[in-house]
Amino acid sequence: MILNFQSIIVCSGIILVSVLIRSDAHQHGSYMRNADDGFNYRTNWMSNIQNHVRLSELAIPGTHDSSTFKGYGGDSATTQVLSFDQQLNYGIRFFDIRVRHYANAFALHHAFVYLHVNFDDFLDSVSNFLRSNPSETVLFRLKEEYDSEGNSRSIAETLQWYLYKHQGTYLKTNNRDINLGSARGKFIILSDNYQFDSFGLQYGQSNIQDNYNLGTNWDLYSKWESVKNQLENAKNGDPNTFYINYLSGSGGSFPYFVASGHSSPGTSAPRLATGMTTPGWSNSSPDFPRIDCFIGICTIAFEGTNTLTYDKIREYNENRGGSRRTVGIIVADFPGDSLIDVIIRNN
């Protein structure tokens, strides 16, 4: 084990004093920090699902703050490395889109950070993908982000202007029971702003877990418990309800840490140790791994929500039985190929 003492971590304006203890390098296919880490194409995975299945019953891989892939804002703001085209090609079908209404157009933002990507870029990617893959559908949460400025029309009028240009692939619906057959080849908006409500389904009517604020790294297990509880809620839930489960978190922790448990952003970076060992803390954080065991003493390491979620969904997939619904929409930071795959296989 390597001890790396670091006295100060600065994240989102918060200064944390801590001791970071790193274990050996760790790599798992549920977390991939580079676009060339080895993704597989899944351009038409919905073609294997029957038309009558409701969208609310599907297990759908999604991305949180989907537009941050150019890296603006650094580790505090970056949650993705795949472009919109790559996300679509590799199987992502739910997007988290945050727009700033600026000069009668939509710039994509993370809080005050302009991500140097615009709403047209997103809609062009989605429409082109759906025209090439008419078996698929795309859902996206649409949220207003940061202050509007320099506009001569309402935010609803600007959205209408965009949608007119994409009317061939846009499906306007308020039917929460809509089935996949009715939505193939189309995108659907989940409105997270009352001014967008007439353009699609209301995001707030879904059953959502988004406990994103971690005060420190040591809140990661509590975050995982929220994710795990929502997996159970969805698996045993109402077929007519959209269940949305965010694996992401930030605040006193970097997004990459929450996703991976790593001491630095890399795909194969070392896990960070919690500072606890067994047998002294044998009952603490039972889902976190025990590593580097020596003469009966093991280090308890952090584990990212991506890997923990992968393991839990794989368990569900291997132990199917009776009538059950899927785990719903899983929204991740830096989702790796195996996480995308195991979610799709839950259908």
Side-chain angles (χ1 to χ4, degrees):
M1 179 186 297
I2 301 171
L3 272 69
N4 177 31
F5 294 93
Q6 180 174 316
S7 59
I8 298 177
I9 305 172
V10 180
C11 179
S12 300
I14 298 173
I15 298 178
L16 305 176
V17 178
S18 63
V19 177
L20 303 188
I21 308 171
R22 296 186 300 169
S23 64
D24 294 333
H26 171 253
Q27 185 166 349
H28 191 281
S30 59
Y31 169 82
M32 291 182 173
R33 192 58 176 76
N34 302 296
D36 58 357
D37 276 339
F39 289 87
N40 289 293
Y41 280 79
R42 299 177 182 86
T43 55
N44 60 357
W45 64 263
M46 288 180 166
S47 65
N48 297 318
I49 300 175
Q50 296 181 346
N51 283 336
H52 72 269
V53 176
R54 284 168 287 200
L55 298 186
S56 59
E57 295 180 279
L58 294 176
I60 298 176
T63 50
H64 160 250
D65 255 323
S66 307
S67 313
T68 62
F69 49 84
K70 290 190 175 182
Y72 289 92
D75 285 336
S76 295
T78 301
T79 62
Q80 307 300 328
V81 293
L82 302 177
S83 69
F84 294 135
D85 290 341
Q86 289 169 326
Q87 291 179 50
L88 290 161
N89 285 331
Y90 300 153
I92 299 299
R93 297 293 179 269
F94 174 89
F95 293 81
D96 176 22
I97 301 298
R98 321 287 185 91
V99 298
R100 181 189 184 194
H101 193 204
Y102 182 83
N104 291 329
F106 287 166
L108 301 188
H109 269 242
H110 174 94
F112 62 87
V113 178
Y114 172 48
L115 301 173
H116 294 257
V117 190
N118 297 311
F119 195 48
D120 259 337
D121 299 319
F122 173 68
L123 289 182
D124 287 345
S125 289
V126 169
S127 291
N128 290 337
F129 175 81
L130 291 171
R131 283 191 287 266
S132 298
N133 301 279
S135 63
E136 309 303 287
T137 188
V138 171
L139 308 175
F140 65 89
R141 171 196 188 186
L142 187 61
K143 180 178 184 292
E144 184 179 12
E145 192 95 340
Y146 204 53
D147 300 332
S148 62
E149 184 179 346
N151 302 294
S152 61
R153 60 187 177 191
S154 71
I155 194 170
E157 289 170 329
T158 295
L159 177 58
Q160 182 65 66
W161 175 74
Y162 279 108
L163 295 177
Y164 178 78
K165 295 190 292 181
H166 293 271
Q167 56 188 305
T169 51
Y170 164 55
L171 179 60
K172 182 177 183 179
T173 181
N174 59 7
N175 178 16
R176 301 190 69 81
D177 295 333
I178 186 171
N179 60 37
L180 178 57
S182 301
R184 293 194 194 273
K186 306 291 184 181
F187 66 80
I188 295 173
I189 294 172
L190 274 66
S191 164
D192 195 11
N193 183 311
Y194 75 94
Q195 296 179 83
F196 300 150
D197 284 352
S198 63
F199 297 96
L201 305 177
Q202 291 187 37
Y203 172 81
Q205 292 181 357
S206 304
N207 187 314
I208 303 164
Q209 182 285 121
D210 189 15
N211 297 331
Y212 63 87
N213 187 50
L214 280 71
T216 73
N217 289 346
W218 284 265
D219 291 328
L220 180 55
Y221 199 83
S222 177
K223 170 63 183 181
W224 160 239
E225 289 182 316
S226 296
V227 171
K228 183 166 61 171
N229 289 339
Q230 185 71 347
L231 290 171
E232 285 292 313
N233 291 340
K235 184 171 72 76
N236 300 303
D238 177 7
N240 299 316
T241 298
F242 284 92
Y243 290 82
I244 303 176
N245 198 351
Y246 284 84
L247 312 190
S248 50
S250 60
S253 299
F254 287 120
Y256 73 76
F257 168 78
V258 178
S260 68
H262 289 177
S263 60
S264 59
T267 298
S268 57
R271 282 192 184 104
L272 194 61
T274 63
M276 297 183 291
T277 58
T278 63
W281 286 271
S282 295
N283 296 322
S284 297
S285 305
D287 294 338
F288 279 175
R290 275 61 175 155
I291 63 172
D292 297 335
C293 297
F294 180 68
I295 58 171
I297 300 174
C298 300
T299 294
I300 302 175
F302 289 106
E303 186 65 278
T305 54
N306 287 18
T307 301
L308 291 166
T309 301
Y310 166 85
D311 288 340
K312 180 58 70 174
I313 298 177
R314 185 181 64 174
E315 177 186 315
Y316 292 157
N317 293 351
E318 292 174 350
N319 296 286
R320 294 180 185 272
S323 177
R324 54 171 289 277
R325 54 155 286 144
T326 69
V327 294
I329 299 172
I330 305 297
V331 190
D333 289 343
F334 311 111
D337 191 74
S338 66
L339 180 60
I340 297 170
D341 182 66
V342 79
I343 296 168
I344 292 171
R345 291 180 183 274
N346 188 246
N347 287 289

